[in-house]
């Protein structure tokens, strides 16, 4: 009997020792995996601007913020395997910087057009709609729609969807508008106020911002020219990143985060058409 008890005791001790060793091995393995995960975090350089009101701009303290910027930060929180860092530049330099590998992602209200689709990769889950409208000085009653832009000076940012749209419309409808390319929003607003420009093609939320912050006295006229969905833009080989961004956006939509960001920065919920 004593031999049997001694034997069972030994077996039990061996079993407990084995379990303890296995548990310690699993803990060590988890620690190693976490450490490895930290070492494998991939930095994503996000190209954006500083002059798009409430989208990507510098606040009165010089901090980069806005709808697109804060959305990227929310996505960053969802994707621990990536570290998103911002790189600011002129809007007209974004596409070339993406093409040459200076950045990995563009966050600047990017709408789909054939030229961009040919070279780049859009994520599949839109994060808001981007209405474009003819905008004039509040005292201008001569321009009521795009049809009234014949012979008028119309300003757009180079390489923007506004530019692509008005260039195509000008040609296909023989509109005869004089397209003026400008990258500085402050200068454009001054020219619109003084009459050197007759109109710009922009969004209602940009107009709202300038009217409230700078007393720009602008108004949108006519129907929406475009009501495009907005995406992030990546290089063609960034499919894994594209898929993870889409997963994060879907989660943020379900949680109501994107809707709240839109209301805060754009003045309304521009996600309702999805």
């Amino acid at each position: 009997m004593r031999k049997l008890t001694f034997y069972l005791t030994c077996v039990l001790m061996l079993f407990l020792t084995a379990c303890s060793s296995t548990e310690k091995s699993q803990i060590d393995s988890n620690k190693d995996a976490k450490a490895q995960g930290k070492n494998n975090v991939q930095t994503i350089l996000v190209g954006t601007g500083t002059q798009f009101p409430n989208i990507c701009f510098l606040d009165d303290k010089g901090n980069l913020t806005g709808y697109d910027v804060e959305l990227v930060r929310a996505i960053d929180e969802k994707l621990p395997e990536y570290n998103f860092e911002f790189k600011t530049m002129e809007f007209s330099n974004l596409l070339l910087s993406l093409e040459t590998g200076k950045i990995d992602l563009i966050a600047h209200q990017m709408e789909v057009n054939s030229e961009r689709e040919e070279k780049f990769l859009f994520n599949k889950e839109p994060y808001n709609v981007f209405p474009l409208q003819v905008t004039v000085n509040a005292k201008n009653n001569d321009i009521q729609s795009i049809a009234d832009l014949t012979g008028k000076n119309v300003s757009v940012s180079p390489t923007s969807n506004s530019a692509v749209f008005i260039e195509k419309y000008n040609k296909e409808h023989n509109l005869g508008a004089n397209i003026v390319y400008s990258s500085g929003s402050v200068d454009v607003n001054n020219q619109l106020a003084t009459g050197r420009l007759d109109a710009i093609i922009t969004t209602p939320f940009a107009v709202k911002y300038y009217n409230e912050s700078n007393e720009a006295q602008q108004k949108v006229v006519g129907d929406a020219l475009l009501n495009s969905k907005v995406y992030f833009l990546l290089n063609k080989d960034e499919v894994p990143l594209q898929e993870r961004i889409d997963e994060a956006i879907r989660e943020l939509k379900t949680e109501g985060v994107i809707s709240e960001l839109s209301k805060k920065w754009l003045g309304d919920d521009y996600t309702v058409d999805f």
Side-chain angles (χ1 to χ4, degrees), residues 6-18:
F6 177 75
Y7 174 75
L8 291 175
T9 300
C10 290
V11 171
L12 180 60
M13 289 178 65
L14 288 171
F15 176 75
L16 291 174
T17 301

Side-chain angles (χ1 to χ4, degrees), residues 59 85 90 141 165 192 198 222:
D59 63 18
E85 294 183 2
E90 293 287 341
N141 295 316
F165 173 84
L192 192 63
D198 299 297

Side-chain angles (χ1 to χ4, degrees), residues 134-165:
V134 175
T135 298
V136 298
N137 184 272
K139 297 178 181 178
N140 187 333
N141 295 316
D142 296 330
I143 299 174
Q144 298 294 326
S145 71
I146 191 171
D148 298 322
L149 295 181
T150 300
K152 304 297 184 181
N153 293 323
V154 184
S155 179
V156 290
S157 297
T159 75
S160 68
N161 227 37
S162 300
V164 173
F165 173 84

Side-chain angles (χ1 to χ4, degrees), residues 93-104 106 119-120 233-235:
N93 293 331
L94 286 170
L95 293 177
L96 180 60
S97 294
L98 183 62
E99 187 175 5
T100 56
K102 294 179 180 178
I103 56 175
D104 306 299
I106 295 178
K119 287 186 176 182
F120 305 108
L233 196 57
L234 314 90
N235 274 316

Side-chain angles (χ1 to χ4, degrees), residues 72-84:
V72 169
R73 288 173 176 154
I75 291 172
D76 193 10
E77 291 293 323
K78 291 283 186 182
L79 305 180
E81 71 271 34
Y82 295 108
N83 177 41
F84 292 80

Side-chain angles (χ1 to χ4, degrees), residues 10 30 53 58 61 91 100 110 189 209 217 228 243:
C10 290
N30 290 340
L58 301 177
K61 295 181 180 178
F91 177 82
T100 56
M110 302 303 292
N189 289 335
Y209 172 84
Q217 297 183 333
S228 305
E243 292 175 347

Side-chain angles (χ1 to χ4, degrees), residues 30-126:
N30 290 340
K31 287 181 178 179
D32 291 341
K34 288 181 180 179
Q36 186 178 8
K38 289 181 180 179
N39 293 332
N40 290 334
V41 171
Q42 181 181 351
T43 296
I44 303 299
L45 295 178
V46 181
T48 192
T50 60
Q51 298 186 37
F52 197 157
N54 283 8
I55 297 296
C56 46
F57 71 109
L58 301 177
D59 63 18
D60 54 4
K61 295 181 180 178
N63 298 316
L64 181 66
T65 190
Y67 177 67
D68 279 38
V69 173
E70 299 307 327
L71 176 55
V72 169
R73 288 173 176 154
I75 291 172
D76 193 10
E77 291 293 323
K78 291 283 186 182
L79 305 180
E81 71 271 34
Y82 295 108
N83 177 41
F84 292 80
E85 294 183 2
F86 290 101
K87 191 172 183 179
T88 59
M89 61 189 70
E90 293 287 341
F91 177 82
S92 57
N93 293 331
L94 286 170
L95 293 177
L96 180 60
S97 294
L98 183 62
E99 187 175 5
T100 56
K102 294 179 180 178
I103 56 175
D104 306 299
L105 175 75
I106 295 178
H108 202 297
Q109 293 285 293
M110 302 303 292
E111 305 150 273
V112 176
N113 63 46
S114 57
E115 295 176 16
R116 293 171 183 173
E117 279 189 308
E118 184 177 342
K119 287 186 176 182
F120 305 108
L121 177 70
F122 286 89
N123 72 294
K124 296 180 180 180
E125 193 73 26

